[in-house]
Every structure is written in structure tokens, then in C-alpha cells.
Amino acid sequence: MARLAIRSVRLCPLVYALIAVFVYMVVEYYLADYLMVEAPNFMLEMQAQTNNLLDKSLLFFSVVVIAPIFEEVIFRGVAFYRL
């Protein structure tokens, strides 16, 4: 655990970052809608495969929570330590 160099997170910068991400997502959504940009086929296929709320929440959880944590543990905890 000490090799991962995990520090505590201050709340104020985290809230600012979350607000900035939310504003960016809203602007991007409306800009893509205004410019009539269509989603790629693989995204439409993924959306068609997730029928219910459980599938969508598990997909969101695995992409947003599990994958970044696993990546940090592998690269920061194992790869950097070996280098």
C-alpha cells in the first residue's frame, strides 16, 4: 500500500473538478446535438445491448470505478516499482 503513494483528497478541488466535468459534458452534449454528430456504431451497439438499469449501472461502475483503480494498482504499484 505504501508503494502506491496514495494521498488524501481535499474536498474543495474535487468539487470544482466535478463541476467542471459536468459543465463540459453538458456543453459537449448540446454542441454535438447542434452539429448533428452521430455516435459511432460500437457505442450504439453497446447501448442496444444494455437493456435495463442494472446492466447500465454495472457498465458505468466497471468503466468509471473499477478500471481506473485496477489500472493505478497495476501500473503505479507493480510496473513503476519494478522499473
Side-chain angles (χ1 to χ4, degrees), residues 3-59:
R3 290 186 284 181
L4 294 178
I6 296 175
R7 296 182 288 176
S8 63
V9 177
R10 293 188 352 217
L11 187 61
C12 191
L14 179 64
V15 170
Y16 289 151
L18 290 175
I19 290 172
V21 167
F22 179 74
V23 168
Y24 173 76
M25 288 175 54
V26 169
V27 169
E28 181 185 27
Y29 175 77
Y30 285 113
L31 188 62
D33 189 40
Y34 176 73
L35 296 175
M36 296 180 201
V37 177
E38 294 186 20
N41 287 336
F42 74 91
M43 292 176 95
L44 297 175
E45 291 172 6
M46 181 62 72
Q47 185 180 15
Q49 291 176 2
T50 55
N51 301 355
N52 55 17
L53 183 62
L54 179 63
D55 290 342
K56 290 180 183 181
S57 61
L58 287 175
L59 179 64

Side-chain angles (χ1 to χ4, degrees), residues 62-79:
S62 64
V63 170
V64 174
V65 177
I66 294 175
I69 291 173
F70 186 72
E71 177 187 2
E72 287 296 320
V73 167
I74 292 296
F75 288 109
R76 192 178 292 200
V78 177

